[in-house]
Amino acid sequence: ANLPEPTIADGSKYFDTKLWAGDGASTRTISNYGFSPDFIWIKNRTTSGWQHVLYDQIRGAGTGSVTKSLSSDSTRAEASGNDTNHGYLSGYTSDGFNLVKGSQGGGDYVNHNGWAYVGWAWDAGTSTVTNNDGSIASQVRAQPSDGFSIVSYSGNSTSGATVGHSLNSKPELIIIKATNTAQGWATYHGSVGANKYLQLNATGAAASYSGFMNSTEPTTSVFSLGNDNFVNTGSNYIAYCFAPVSGYSAALSWTGNGSSDGVFVHTGFRVAWMLWKKSNGTANWYIYDSARNTYNVVNDNLEPNTSDAENTLTSMNVDFLS
């Protein structure tokens, strides 16, 4: 009773995780999210070799030979025929999304009989609008109250170009991917800074480089670009922007203490989804969530930079505290 009223009382109205077992049906609807999802990230948990598949409302849903997925573990462009063979997201609903099973046997990204899947989803508002705050006009779908926006833009190959994000606060995590060419996933994190870079699809440590963010920190209205192929040449790009919201989301860093009784990291809320990576050395990225581990310890891991199946990291236990 003595705690302040949270900015967002029920986080599941803006982010949620659903688990399902594939049933092999030709079509399938995943529902009961507390919102209409705008950014959806699906991963097969059972079998290695099947990519993460990411979709968003700005790029749309799959139709036949153009199936719209991007994969965090790959540099590939937006998928076309391959997903038709192996399954894809075909539409968005008021509380979930529709899936189409692949036409080819042997496996499926979204609904193979007997395989386990996870679907992480975020809310980004109700409409896509043009944002002219930056030197490059962008198409933006934003929900400032939960600190998340999806931004689409076309590169102009000019260092110092800026792009509007519509969050009205500074993003602390920005993930950028070229959609029509094969490039990696440029990743900015506030603790690393704009003069360094990470790649969501790679294991490398944060390294000094101005080509991604032009060594310029994002502002409350725009983020800056260098002229690297990853973020700003003649390609089309999608950016997922996250600004911390008190009591709901955070972008943090910590220094390990090498002890089995590890560091306490104060978030200000009970964590539902955690993306993390060692920043000063080579290491995978990791995703934990409270749906796959419903009580402590939390250690069922999926790696955004690999197509590996879910694995339990007994050496990297985490407790999700209040």
Side-chain angles (χ1 to χ4, degrees):
N2 294 326
L3 294 174
E5 192 70 22
T7 306
I8 294 177
D10 182 358
S12 67
K13 292 182 178 180
Y14 300 94
F15 165 84
D16 206 358
T17 303
K18 298 298 178 187
L19 310 177
W20 65 93
D23 61 11
S26 59
T27 60
R28 178 85 179 268
T29 298
I30 306 301
S31 57
N32 294 319
Y33 290 89
F35 51 92
S36 179
D38 296 294
F39 173 41
I40 298 163
W41 184 335
I42 299 171
K43 181 65 176 77
N44 158 35
R45 302 162 57 197
T46 302
T47 306
S48 293
W50 293 87
Q51 293 179 327
H52 297 253
V53 284
L54 284 66
Y55 301 87
D56 62 74
Q57 288 264 27
I58 288 184
R59 292 183 300 114
T63 54
S65 63
V66 181
T67 52
K68 298 293 184 179
S69 77
L70 294 167
S71 292
S72 61
D73 53 294
S74 172
T75 62
R76 68 171 175 83
E78 190 175 80
S80 54
N82 185 50
D83 280 9
T84 305
N85 292 333
H86 296 304
Y88 58 95
L89 183 147
S90 62
Y92 302 87
T93 70
S94 61
D95 67 345
F97 45 88
N98 298 320
L99 303 173
V100 172
K101 182 181 179 296
S103 58
Q104 180 174 303
D108 198 283
Y109 287 129
V110 296
N111 195 35
H112 185 76
N113 189 39
W115 287 3
Y117 295 89
V118 59
W120 303 298
W122 287 259
D123 175 63
T126 57
S127 61
T128 301
V129 300
T130 300
N131 182 305
N132 291 307
D133 290 343
S135 60
I136 297 175
S138 56
Q139 296 296 304
V140 180
R141 197 173 182 95
Q143 182 69 280
S145 61
D146 73 3
F148 177 60
S149 68
I150 305 167
V151 180
S152 173
Y153 66 94
S154 296
N156 66 4
S157 302
T158 303
S159 293
T162 56
V163 179
H165 54 69
S166 297
L167 288 179
N168 303 324
S169 57
K170 180 192 172 189
E172 293 292 334
L173 174 65
I174 303 174
I175 302 170
I176 302 173
K177 176 71 178 76
T179 59
N180 61 339
T181 57
Q183 300 292 344
W185 292 75
T187 305
Y188 160 84
H189 191 282
S191 70
V192 170
N195 63 341
K196 293 186 176 182
Y197 78 100
L198 292 161
Q199 293 182 49
L200 186 64
N201 59 291
T203 61
S208 296
Y209 184 51
S210 63
F212 281 7
M213 309 301 293
N214 201 44
S215 298
T216 305
E217 290 292 321
T219 72
T220 58
S221 59
V222 301
F223 57 88
S224 297
L225 302 172
N227 64 351
D228 189 274
N229 291 335
F230 280 47
V231 298
N232 188 24
T233 52
S235 300
N236 298 327
Y237 298 89
I238 199 78
Y240 304 114
C241 303
F242 300 82
V245 174
S246 178
Y248 169 75
S249 63
L252 304 168
S253 64
W254 69 91
T255 301
N257 63 9
S259 170
S260 58
D261 182 15
V263 175
F264 172 76
V265 181
H266 183 255
T267 62
F269 54 91
R270 184 173 176 83
V271 174
W273 187 84
M274 179 182 177
L275 169 70
W276 55 296
K277 189 198 181 302
K278 180 181 180 180
S279 61
N280 64 343
T282 300
N284 286 323
W285 293 79
Y286 303 103
I287 293 176
Y288 289 175
D289 65 61
S290 62
R292 291 177 296 130
N293 285 125
T294 57
Y295 55 89
N296 290 322
V297 295
V298 177
N299 56 16
D300 283 348
N301 167 60
L302 289 164
E303 297 164 353
N305 59 292
T306 78
S307 61
D308 291 354
E310 184 176 273
N311 62 92
T312 300
L313 299 177
T314 56
S315 63
M316 289 192 280
N317 296 330
V318 175
D319 282 347
F320 284 172
L321 306 177
S322 62

